[in-house]
Amino acid sequence: MGIGVVFHPNPLDAKSISDLVSKYRVTFLVATPTFLQAYMKRCSPEHFGSLQYVLVGAEKLPERVALAFEDLFGVRPLEGYGCTECSPVVAVNGRDFRAPGFRQVAGRRGTIGHPLAGHQRAHC
């Protein structure tokens, strides 16, 4: 698909993460709310300027963390939901789509979002 990936063995090493995001112009960051809190303390907005999407999972995303991250870096984190038995993420909120005279809501704060493609709703 021609998509590059950048890995680092320690996601709490905020300095290295910010250097990698800046160097490789990373547009999609996968993290946890705990990692975001570390990045807010140790990373500058200039280093995270290329980010377009930030997807978090593994723990609940507190509204205060989401708002603080968005205020500092200009990107609203998208909260994903998964469970150990299924996948790291099976549902996620997305970014709303806007065009002249049209708006499609893709995410609602406080929800787990929409199922990812290929997942079906369980019927009990």
Side-chain angles (χ1 to χ4, degrees):
M1 295 185 76
I3 299 172
V5 178
V6 179
F7 293 99
H8 186 68
N10 182 359
L12 286 172
D13 181 0
K15 170 73 171 113
S16 293
I17 297 297
S18 77
D19 289 345
L20 289 168
V21 168
S22 181
K23 178 179 178 179
Y24 293 102
R25 308 288 302 147
V26 172
T27 58
F28 190 100
L29 177 68
V30 179
T32 69
T34 298
F35 302 160
L36 296 188
Q37 291 180 68
Y39 303 156
M40 287 187 290
K41 291 177 186 173
R42 298 180 189 96
C43 301
S44 71
E46 295 78 27
H47 280 109
F48 277 13
S50 62
L51 290 178
Q52 295 178 27
Y53 295 93
V54 175
L55 176 64
V56 298
E59 59 191 74
K60 178 75 179 137
L61 174 62
E63 184 66 12
R64 64 175 176 72
V65 173
L67 289 173
F69 191 90
E70 183 177 22
D71 286 347
L72 183 59
F73 298 115
V75 177
R76 172 87 183 176
L78 304 174
E79 184 173 13
Y81 172 80
C83 53
T84 304
E85 298 80 9
C86 296
S87 172
V89 174
V90 295
V92 68
N93 277 300
R95 292 194 328 193
D96 293 349
F97 176 80
R98 294 177 188 266
F102 181 77
R103 177 173 180 239
Q104 181 177 2
V105 176
R108 287 188 12 224
R109 293 179 183 173
T111 70
I112 63 168
H114 302 280
L116 296 175
H119 289 81
Q120 296 181 2
R121 226 185 292 185
H123 297 281
C124 299

